[in-house]
Amino acid sequence: LFWSRLGWSIVPTPRNLLNSLLSWLALPRVCLQFLYPPRDNIDVAGSMVLHAKSFPCKTWIAFILAGFCASKVTSFLLRLIGMTGEAAAEKSGAVTVETDEDRDVLTDYIMLLLQMYIMPQVYDSVVASRDEDMYQSIVKQGAERNVKRVVVVVGAGHSNGIMQRARARGLGPAACADP
């Protein structure tokens, strides 16, 4: 289900293209909400600072190493896709490349466009759908156990998404139905 959801989210359908455009247009608002969260939301930036101070040095080294390795793999894959797209565009006659510098510029533009399209789609298919799954699980378990109050421990990245769903749909058994 995860790979299927991810695969369908990156297919360039009109809905996915519109979703990417609207996501980028919403970026300034989202950044402001990250820095200045609404009253009922978790202060993710503040939580990150507090947690960052608690990590030992070897954890930071592991984070940096993992980030570096992930960056290298992602850059390699994007460059490969960009070079393939550039070669196909040049071979089909859609563009004329005179120098290696032109070829590199075209490859960079292809990579940039790919990133601008894929980033919101991956977020939507992975993070937002994970928020929905976690919310559904919380509601289902609450209904099964017939509880009046519940304490849930989740990561800061998912807390606001789950709380928004709980505010909009509640936590009762009726909220278990798909939105």
Side-chain angles (χ1 to χ4, degrees):
L1 183 64
F2 169 78
W3 291 107
S4 172
R5 185 183 306 149
L6 182 61
W8 280 110
S9 72
I10 61 174
V11 173
T13 62
R15 180 180 179 187
N16 289 347
L17 291 168
L18 180 64
N19 180 45
S20 288
L21 176 66
L22 294 176
S23 295
W24 282 108
L25 292 175
L27 183 63
R29 177 182 51 82
V30 171
C31 289
L32 284 173
Q33 282 185 341
F34 179 77
L35 295 173
Y36 307 103
R39 178 171 287 247
D40 295 333
N41 281 10
I42 302 295
D43 181 8
V44 177
S47 297
M48 286 173 39
V49 170
L50 291 175
H51 289 298
K53 292 169 94 177
S54 69
F55 290 143
C57 185
K58 65 181 176 182
T59 302
W60 278 108
I61 292 170
F63 280 153
I64 291 168
L65 185 61
F68 178 77
C69 291
S71 172
K72 287 295 182 186
V73 169
T74 304
S75 294
F76 172 76
L77 291 174
L78 287 171
R79 180 139 316 262
L80 182 66
I81 293 169
M83 288 171 38
T84 304
E86 179 274 326
E90 187 177 1
K91 193 172 188 177
S92 70
V95 295
T96 304
V97 178
E98 297 175 5
T99 66
D100 284 341
E101 186 176 320
D102 291 343
R103 184 171 282 115
D104 290 342
V105 169
L106 182 57
T107 300
D108 290 343
Y109 278 128
I110 291 171
M111 289 170 44
L112 179 63
L113 287 171
L114 187 64
Q115 289 175 52
M116 289 183 72
Y117 169 70
I118 286 181
M119 284 174 56
Q121 296 305 106
V122 169
Y123 170 82
D124 195 42
S125 68
V126 176
V127 178
S129 66
R130 182 71 182 129
D131 290 349
E132 178 64 30
D133 291 344
M134 292 169 77
Y135 167 76
Q136 290 289 333
S137 177
I138 292 165
V139 170
K140 181 181 171 191
Q141 289 183 19
E144 287 173 358
R145 294 182 172 95
N146 198 22
V147 296
K148 302 259 189 252
R149 292 181 191 215
V150 80
V151 175
V152 180
V153 179
V154 297
H158 293 288
S159 60
N160 289 330
I162 294 169
M163 288 189 333
Q164 287 172 350
R165 286 166 175 77
R167 284 188 207 109
R169 294 184 248 160
L171 291 171
C176 267
D178 287 332

